[in-house]
Amino acid sequence: MSTNKKLVSSLNPLIETRDIAAIKAKTGNIYESIVVASKRANQININLKEELHRKLDDFANHTDTLEEVHENKEQIEISRFYERMANPSLQALGEFMGDKVYYRKKEEE
């Protein structure tokens, strides 16, 4: 099973409440924890977007006009798969809470 399929099956795509104390405990500061998770969410979002565009480019026909556009079931399935995936923010927070994200603090001068 690919990594993306594991993410779809293991993460709940619905928003749920989180324990703020547990999030804060990871870095010692809730705001630092949120920054780490948000930076990871941006990375995930960029990767997913690039992956989706690569897959959909296989179906691209640049000579189509509005009258010639037709449904492609494979393309629809790919789009539905990405729609069912958990939001990148939820994925990033799950990775962060599961200690799968490496982060470090900048040294203060």
Side-chain angles (χ1 to χ4, degrees):
M1 188 178 336
S2 72
T3 306
N4 288 337
K5 289 185 181 181
K6 287 181 186 176
L7 286 174
V8 170
S9 63
S10 67
L11 285 176
N12 183 359
L14 303 176
I15 296 174
E16 55 190 36
T17 58
R18 304 287 179 171
D19 182 13
I20 292 178
I23 295 171
K24 179 183 174 185
K26 293 288 185 178
T27 62
N29 185 326
I30 186 69
Y31 300 107
E32 287 181 23
S33 296
I34 291 171
V35 166
V36 170
S38 68
K39 287 184 179 187
R40 178 62 184 136
N42 286 336
Q43 292 173 340
I44 292 170
N45 190 39
I46 289 169
N47 291 340
L48 287 176
K49 200 179 289 187
E50 289 173 353
E51 183 179 317
L52 177 61
H53 286 295
R54 273 195 312 273
K55 288 181 179 181
L56 293 179
D57 278 344
D58 294 340
F59 301 104
N61 187 354
H62 301 292
T63 61
D64 283 345
T65 63
L66 290 177
E67 295 81 30
E68 296 175 353
V69 174
H70 61 281
E71 288 185 4
N72 185 329
K73 293 194 186 298
E74 291 176 31
Q75 184 177 3
I76 292 170
E77 280 301 312
I78 290 171
S79 297
R80 284 187 182 155
F81 173 77
Y82 281 92
E83 288 172 1
R84 286 189 303 261
M85 287 182 74
N87 183 312
S89 300
L90 296 175
Q91 291 179 25
L93 193 56
E95 289 179 6
F96 179 70
M97 295 305 292
D99 295 325
K100 297 178 183 172
V101 176
Y102 171 77
Y103 61 93
R104 64 175 190 261
K105 294 182 182 181
K106 289 185 179 180
E107 297 294 323
E108 292 185 20
E109 295 179 15

